[in-house]
């Protein structure tokens, strides 16, 4: 069994004084220190990053990480748009499955705020189909279509979506590493300007900088020595068409549904066993669809369920969602997000989640999506 | 960067889907576009199912707010789709207008 033995993340936010590889170095140093491992004890590295090649002509990142770590080991970059972090983790887990007694570092990072919003939006659009790009469809636009379709079909309003952001901003206020640490109201969300109808600024995750890292190992001696350790029970990556229009349903992300079904089957646990989850809330509608497609809520009920706020920390629900603040409030440096989600579950399972610690957690789930649903990674951790 | 060759290659497909009628399946309106679309914002984008069941995206032009609804009948037309490239090649593509 593969174990996760350490997690470190940088602050998420507008970090203008730091470069992409400053952030990578900070995350790597942090997680090595925490696990008392030296660079020479790392056997391979998997790096999740989307935009460095597009925005800053910055590729061949494995060699740059080799320079930082002063090692000559196998290092790979994974790219799957906003699921780059999840994909890197999934590859690392797969690497361990076929190599015994190895320690693997997984780091995800993104540097997004050096550029104008238009330039970053254009870079992100590289992860959509050529036809979507030609129509001027941004990612807020694609999720705006999904939201419009969902609200219309299930007779909800923009207010139903707003509760996702209110909840996640409350969680962000409890997380010192979050990009946004202020609470907001439904009224704040509804009065914020539109980004892509019906989604508004406060329905949307921000453009952020940040890096997060974890250490995975199947070295039993090392696992025994570590203070904190959780089992990687399942990690499943599923792909689907890049174009939203080619999918059978506009209000469902099939890759999420399939990844979750496979992960739960392999984990041999039920949805009810999951007490904390980090789900991919790049936009408010995305969390509602995720909760339905992961099988926690029935299709079409999400708009009603979220108004009950049972998934908010401190409420009586049996499943608390996005305690990190989610992408919405913790921030969304795209390559780092998938690692931060898994790291947050690690903190919850090992009792290190401070002000947002959920009690009696044995299993947690992380859900990372690339693009409008062309890739989904579902990871289940347990103690 | 959009190569002029890419724009040229795309023209062969665009002519096949001109003047086709269909209905809006879903729509959005973009307020924060990418660099090449900044001067058009805000603009609606629709997903249309043509009469032969083929699905196509495009911006909606010459519209009234009441046209922004599922089921609205539209026709595909040729329009400039993004700001010109550095080489000065104008990219034409599909947009829709209400019938």
């Amino acid at each position: 069994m593969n174990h996760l033995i350490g997690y470190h993340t940088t602050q998420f936010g507008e970090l203008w004084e730091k470069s992409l590889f400053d952030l990578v170095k900070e995350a790597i140093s942090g997680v090595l220190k925490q696990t008392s491992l030296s660079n020479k004890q790392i056997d391979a590295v998997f790096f999740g990053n989307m935009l460095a090649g597009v925005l800053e002509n910055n590729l061949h990142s494995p060699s740059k990480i080799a320079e930082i770590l002063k090692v000559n080991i196998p290092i790979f970059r994974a790219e799957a748009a906003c699921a780059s972090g999840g994909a890197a983790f999934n590859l690392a887990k797969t690497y361990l499955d076929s190599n015994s007694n190895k320690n693997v570092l997984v780091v995800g990072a993104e540097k997004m705020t050096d550029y104008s919003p238009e330039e970053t939006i254009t870079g992100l659009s590289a992860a959509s189909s050529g036809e979507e790009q030609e129509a001027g469809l941004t990612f807020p636009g694609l999720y705006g279509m999904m939201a419009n379709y969902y609200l219309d079909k299930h007779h909800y309003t923009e207010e139903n979506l707003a509760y996702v952001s209110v909840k996640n901003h409350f969680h962000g206020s409890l997380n010192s590493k979050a990009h946004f640490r202020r609470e907001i109201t439904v009224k704040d969300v509804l009065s914020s300007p539109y980004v892509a109808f019906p989604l508004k600024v406060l329905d949307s995750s921000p453009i952020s900088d940040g890096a997060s890292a974890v250490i995975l190992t199947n070295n039993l001696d090392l696992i025994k020595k570590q203070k904190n350790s959780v089992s990687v029970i399942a990690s499943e990556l599923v792909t689907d068409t890049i174009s939203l229009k080619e999918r059978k349903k506009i209000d469902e992300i099939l890759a999420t549904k399939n990844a979750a079904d496979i992960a739960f089957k392999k984990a041999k646990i039920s949805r009810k066993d999951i007490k904390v989850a980090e789900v991919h809330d790049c936009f408010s509608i995305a969390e509602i669809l995720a909760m339905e497609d992961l099988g926690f809520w029935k299709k079409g009920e999400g708009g009603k369920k979220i108004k009950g706020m049972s998934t908010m920390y401190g409420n009586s629900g049996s499943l608390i969602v996005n305690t990190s603040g989610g992408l919405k409030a913790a921030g969304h440096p795209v390559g780092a997000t998938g690692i931060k989600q898994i790291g947050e579950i690690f903190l919850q399972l090992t009792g290190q989640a401070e002000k947002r610690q959920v009690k009696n957690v044995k299993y947690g789930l992380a859900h990372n999506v690339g693009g409008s649903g062309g890739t989904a990674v579902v990871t289940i951790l347990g103690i | 960067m959009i190569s002029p060759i890419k724009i040229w290659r795309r023209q062969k497909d665009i002519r096949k889907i001109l003047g086709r009628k269909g209905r809006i399946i879903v729509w959005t309106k973009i307020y924060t576009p990418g660099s090449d679309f900044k001067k058009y914002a805000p603009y609606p984008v629709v997903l249309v199912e043509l009469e032969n069941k083929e699905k196509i995206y495009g911006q909606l032009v010459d519209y009234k707010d009441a046209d922004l609804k599922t089921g609205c009948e539209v026709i595909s037309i040729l329009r400039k789709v993004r700001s010109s490239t550095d080489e000065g090649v104008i990219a034409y593509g599909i947009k829709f207008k209400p019938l």
Side-chain angles (χ1 to χ4, degrees):
Chain A
M1 177 71 82
N2 303 315
H3 281 69
L4 204 166
I5 56 170
Y7 163 62
H8 184 82
T9 188
T10 67
Q11 183 69 40
F12 281 9
E14 293 182 334
L15 310 175
W16 292 334
E17 73 284 5
K18 289 174 184 170
S19 73
L20 174 66
F21 285 95
D22 289 340
L23 293 167
V24 168
K25 190 175 183 178
E26 186 180 326
I28 291 176
S29 303
V31 80
L32 288 178
K33 189 178 171 190
Q34 192 190 106
T35 50
S36 303
L37 286 173
S38 76
N39 54 346
K40 302 296 175 197
Q41 289 174 282
I42 299 298
D43 297 297
V45 181
F46 291 83
F47 177 48
N49 174 261
M50 175 190 175
L51 291 168
V54 177
L55 287 179
E56 54 181 296
N57 200 33
N58 196 347
L59 284 171
H60 204 185
S61 44
S63 180
K64 287 171 182 141
I65 293 172
E67 193 167 301
I68 290 170
L69 266 178
K70 297 182 177 62
V71 292
N72 305 94
I73 56 175
I75 303 181
F76 306 95
R77 170 185 170 229
E79 190 278 308
C82 303
S84 297
F89 184 88
N90 183 269
L91 284 171
K93 181 245 172 207
T94 308
Y95 181 89
L96 286 181
D97 287 343
S98 53
N99 292 280
S100 55
N101 285 317
K102 300 289 184 192
N103 307 318
V104 178
L105 167 70
V106 193
V107 57
E110 210 71 58
K111 182 72 200 170
M112 303 174 78
T113 69
D114 286 0
Y115 303 89
S116 70
E118 290 84 10
E119 287 169 314
T120 305
I121 287 167
T122 302
L124 289 166
S125 295
S128 60
S129 75
E131 200 188 329
E132 287 165 349
Q133 291 180 46
E134 188 174 279
L137 259 178
T138 56
F139 274 103
L142 285 160
Y143 278 92
M145 280 187 165
M146 291 155 96
N148 212 4
Y149 189 89
Y150 182 89
L151 297 183
D152 204 28
K153 183 176 173 184
H154 301 292
H155 312 294
Y156 295 123
T157 68
E158 291 167 46
E159 186 197 342
N160 294 82
L161 302 176
Y163 287 90
V164 173
S165 302
V166 171
K167 170 180 72 69
N168 291 345
H169 266 256
F170 170 65
H171 291 163
S173 74
L174 306 175
N175 178 4
S176 61
K177 299 291 179 72
H179 189 153
F180 295 128
R181 300 202 61 207
R182 68 183 174 92
E183 292 186 53
I184 57 171
T185 64
V186 169
K187 194 180 166 192
D188 292 333
V189 181
L190 293 178
S191 59
S192 64
Y194 283 109
V195 173
F197 185 87
L199 301 175
K200 294 167 285 294
V201 168
L202 289 179
D203 286 298
S204 313
S205 56
I207 288 169
S208 317
D209 305 324
S212 309
V214 294
I215 302 273
L216 277 176
T217 184
N218 54 12
N219 180 329
L220 295 177
D221 291 336
L222 181 64
I223 294 164
K224 281 177 199 162
K225 285 179 198 162
Q226 290 292 322
K227 189 178 161 196
N228 296 303
S229 168
V230 306
S231 302
V232 181
I233 300 174
S235 172
E236 295 301 321
L237 185 151
V238 170
T239 53
D240 197 3
T241 64
I242 192 161
S243 305
L244 179 65
K245 69 168 191 160
E246 296 300 330
R247 308 209 189 117
K248 282 184 186 158
K249 294 178 183 172
I250 289 175
D251 62 338
E252 174 190 276
I253 293 184
L254 185 65
T256 293
K257 198 166 176 279
N258 289 349
D261 285 345
I262 301 167
F264 275 105
K265 195 175 175 185
K266 284 195 178 172
K268 294 177 183 156
I269 62 168
S270 79
R271 265 75 173 174
K272 285 180 182 168
D273 294 319
I274 301 290
K275 300 296 176 207
V276 287
E278 289 284 304
V279 309
H280 198 92
D281 61 322
C282 50
F283 300 95
S284 51
I285 183 65
E287 177 164 323
I288 290 173
L289 295 183
M291 292 299 287
E292 295 177 353
D293 298 335
L294 288 165
F296 294 124
W297 294 344
K298 283 184 185 162
K299 183 52 72 184
E301 282 189 352
K304 186 174 69 183
K305 287 269 190 185
I306 191 66
K307 267 186 102 166
M309 299 289 255
S310 70
T311 53
M312 186 160 93
Y313 179 79
N315 288 353
S316 57
S318 57
L319 167 62
I320 306 301
V321 175
N322 283 334
T323 54
S324 71
L327 283 60
K328 173 68 201 80
H332 184 27
V334 296
T337 286
I339 306 301
K340 180 223 71 180
Q341 293 176 317
I342 289 166
E344 178 71 13
I345 300 300
F346 173 79
L347 295 180
Q348 289 286 353
L349 288 169
T350 54
Q352 301 180 84
E354 299 176 337
K355 290 178 186 172
R356 57 194 191 281
Q357 180 65 51
V358 179
K359 286 179 187 164
N360 304 320
V361 184
K362 285 187 178 169
Y363 297 102
L365 177 147
H367 163 251
N368 194 196
V369 174
S372 61
T375 303
V377 189
V378 171
T379 302
I380 298 175
L381 304 177
I383 47 171
Chain B
M1 178 189 151
I2 304 297
S3 157
I5 300 164
K6 196 171 178 178
I7 294 170
W8 168 77
R9 195 162 52 231
R10 176 85 177 115
Q11 299 309 306
K12 294 173 198 168
D13 295 324
I14 287 169
R15 67 183 61 183
K16 294 176 198 161
I17 44 176
L18 270 179
R20 304 275 287 274
K21 291 176 189 171
R23 288 180 187 276
I24 294 174
I25 299 173
V26 67
W27 63 275
T28 183
K29 194 172 191 179
I30 309 287
Y31 291 80
T32 54
S35 310
D36 290 354
F37 299 89
K38 201 173 174 180
K39 71 177 185 182
Y40 303 106
Y43 54 87
V45 183
V46 293
L47 174 58
V48 171
E49 186 174 79
L50 300 179
E51 286 168 336
N52 68 352
K53 303 294 177 192
E54 188 182 353
K55 291 176 189 164
I56 297 178
Y57 300 107
Q59 291 178 24
L60 190 69
V61 296
D62 303 337
Y63 70 97
K64 297 187 182 79
D65 283 346
D67 297 320
L68 288 173
K69 61 180 181 195
T70 302
C72 178
E73 240 187 314
V74 295
I75 186 165
S76 58
I77 52 171
L78 190 69
R79 284 287 191 278
K80 184 178 173 181
V81 288
R82 60 167 82 216
S83 299
S84 302
T85 64
D86 292 343
E87 290 86 353
V89 177
I90 299 169
Y92 284 94
I94 293 294
K95 290 190 181 180
F96 289 96
K97 68 175 185 181
L99 270 175

